[in-house]
Amino acid sequence: MAKKYSAIVLFLLTALALLAAYLFYQTQQETNGQRPPARAIAVKTSHASMQPLARQVNALGTGLANDSVQLIASSSEYLTYLNVIEGQSVQQGEVIARLNDVEQRARVAELQAQLTEQQRQLERLKNLAATQAAAQSMLDEQQSRVNTTLAQLESAESRLRQMTIRAPFDGVLGLRTVSQGAFVNSGSVITTLDNIAQLRVEFNVPERFIAELAVGMPVAIRNIAFRNEIFEGQIKAIDPRIDPVTRSVRVHGVVDNQELRLRPGMLLDVRVTLANQDVLMVPENALVPLQNRQYAFTVGEDDRVTQVQVQVGERIPGWAEILDGLADGDEIIVEGVQKVRTGVTIRRAE
């Protein structure tokens, strides 16, 4: 039994001595700068390159009627006629409502008769003046009366026209707020009229895109009510002022809406396609996010890796624009980024 224990102890001592000798040898090698070379890591690489990119700006917009008014009563009177069918399309000039205009009609008739008599008297004086039988002062006085009555008649006719409310443009009537026969006060809203055959879309664009915006650029509109359907339009106007708080510019687009499917007040998803530009692009899987920054691994001389911080611009499926940090032609790692770090050597996998 004692011999067996002695053999085990001898074996353990021999193993410890060999391990100590190996560790000493490794320490000496590292001290002398003769560390065995690390095995190259297999990765796949690509190159940063200049490619055409159609920039797109996405924004949330609001639908607006191309023209919109409130039809109101110009005087305090009874409503004798009301032609409001809610949601009905009307043509420009069509009668929407009429207020009690008996008094105005009588006043117009009175002034017309008065003007006729005064004009007859004026013609008579002109004939007498031609034969020197009437003084010029009498002629001037009668002319003044005619002019005064004519002005009064024009004013009365204007008030009479205001008693009839007409559609100022083609559009769709809104909800009525009064009933026929009701007494309405001056300024009371009778209904609304909206021209939505073309819908105006208002949205904001960040100021960094202002140099690339132009009237006539195409816009694509979506709304949750119509799922993935796209409504095509174009930019109609760009506000000359930039909001100093949001640092954005207000833009109006127009979309054809002959079927009246889109409505004012809708929340709209707007996409503006800007002009094509050549920009530096890399595959999106070459980017490594860390906190709020983006990094990439470049391959340099002797196939050694360097981690660099990059500034990312526009993204499209599978690709990302690089604004800063890389140059055209730089070799970057696109597969195996999780296995590398600065200073390691790589080999390119087939």
Side-chain angles (χ1 to χ4, degrees):
M1 182 66 69
K3 290 181 178 181
K4 183 177 180 180
Y5 288 148
S6 298
I8 293 173
V9 172
L10 180 62
F11 174 77
L12 292 176
L13 291 174
T14 303
L16 289 173
L18 292 173
L19 177 61
Y22 174 77
L23 294 176
F24 176 78
Y25 174 76
Q26 291 291 329
T27 303
Q28 290 298 316
Q29 291 293 325
E30 293 180 2
T31 303
N32 296 331
Q34 299 179 0
R35 177 182 295 181
R39 187 175 62 178
I41 300 174
V43 297
K44 287 187 178 181
T45 65
S46 182
H47 291 83
S49 60
M50 300 298 292
Q51 300 180 25
L53 173 65
R55 293 179 180 274
Q56 292 183 339
V57 179
N58 295 313
L60 290 178
T62 301
L64 304 173
N66 199 35
D67 296 297
S68 180
V69 295
Q70 289 182 325
L71 302 179
I72 63 175
S74 59
S75 303
S76 297
E77 265 296 351
Y78 287 98
L79 196 63
T80 59
Y81 176 76
L82 183 64
N83 181 30
V84 175
I85 302 177
E86 294 153 328
Q88 180 73 29
S89 296
V90 295
Q91 302 297 316
Q92 182 179 4
E94 188 172 336
V95 176
I96 304 301
R98 184 176 290 118
L99 300 174
N100 181 23
D101 57 0
V102 174
E103 183 178 344
Q104 284 73 20
R105 288 181 182 276
R107 177 60 177 165
V108 168
E110 177 187 357
L111 290 172
Q112 285 176 339
Q114 185 177 337
L115 179 63
T116 301
E117 176 60 23
Q118 289 176 349
Q119 287 176 335
R120 189 181 66 80
Q121 292 290 342
L122 179 63
E123 289 299 321
R124 187 176 68 84
L125 288 174
K126 285 181 179 180
N127 293 332
L128 292 176
T131 61
Q132 303 297 321
Q136 184 64 38
S137 61
M138 295 178 60
L139 181 61
D140 293 341
E141 184 179 351
Q142 186 62 27
Q143 182 66 62
S144 177
R145 292 194 188 98
V146 170
N147 292 341
T148 301
T149 304
L150 184 60
Q152 292 174 345
L153 177 61
E154 290 177 352
S155 176
E157 288 177 338
S158 176
R159 288 195 296 271
L160 177 61
R161 286 193 298 269
Q162 291 175 3
M163 305 305 282
T164 300
I165 301 170
R166 300 179 182 272
F169 50 78
D170 297 349
V172 178
L173 293 172
L175 303 178
R176 63 181 176 88
T177 59
V178 294
S179 300
Q180 183 169 327
F183 183 86
V184 295
N185 293 316
S186 176
S188 298
V189 177
I190 296 174
T191 186
T192 59
L193 180 66
D194 295 314
N195 176 11
I196 56 176
Q198 275 193 329
L199 190 76
R200 188 176 287 262
V201 183
E202 181 178 280
F203 58 97
N204 290 336
V205 174
E207 66 174 340
R208 65 189 181 97
F209 296 110
I210 187 73
E212 302 174 58
L213 281 178
V215 173
M217 278 186 169
V219 296
I221 310 296
R222 286 191 179 94
N223 178 262
I224 191 172
F226 303 102
R227 304 196 179 271
N228 294 325
E229 186 173 355
I230 297 177
F231 299 87
E232 301 289 345
Q234 63 180 4
I235 292 178
K236 184 70 172 179
I238 302 172
D239 195 338
R241 297 183 177 183
I242 292 180
D243 190 320
V245 177
T246 62
R247 303 300 178 187
S248 62
V249 61
R250 186 169 53 180
V251 180
H252 278 191
V254 290
V255 180
D256 185 69
N257 191 37
Q258 294 293 334
E259 298 180 359
L260 309 183
R261 301 173 69 192
L262 299 175
R263 303 296 181 89
M266 275 185 166
L267 179 64
L268 302 172
D269 183 12
V270 184
R271 185 177 70 243
V272 180
T273 301
L274 305 177
N276 286 342
Q277 289 186 339
D278 286 338
V279 298
L280 187 65
M281 301 286 288
V282 299
E284 198 170 25
N285 54 1
L287 300 177
V288 180
L290 182 60
Q291 295 180 349
N292 60 345
R293 301 176 181 177
Q294 296 284 341
Y295 294 88
F297 289 98
T298 61
V299 181
E301 297 180 357
D302 302 325
D303 295 337
R304 291 192 178 275
V305 173
T306 302
Q307 183 180 4
V308 296
Q309 183 179 345
V310 297
Q311 183 179 353
V312 180
E314 192 79 15
R315 290 178 184 260
I316 60 175
W319 294 87
E321 176 193 6
I322 300 300
L323 302 177
D324 188 36
L326 294 176
D328 186 20
D330 283 352
E331 187 177 12
I332 53 175
I333 298 174
V334 295
E335 288 189 20
V337 293
Q338 70 278 5
K339 300 183 295 184
V340 298
R341 65 183 184 276
T342 297
V344 302
T345 303
I346 59 97
R347 61 182 177 86
R348 296 161 186 81
E350 295 295 335

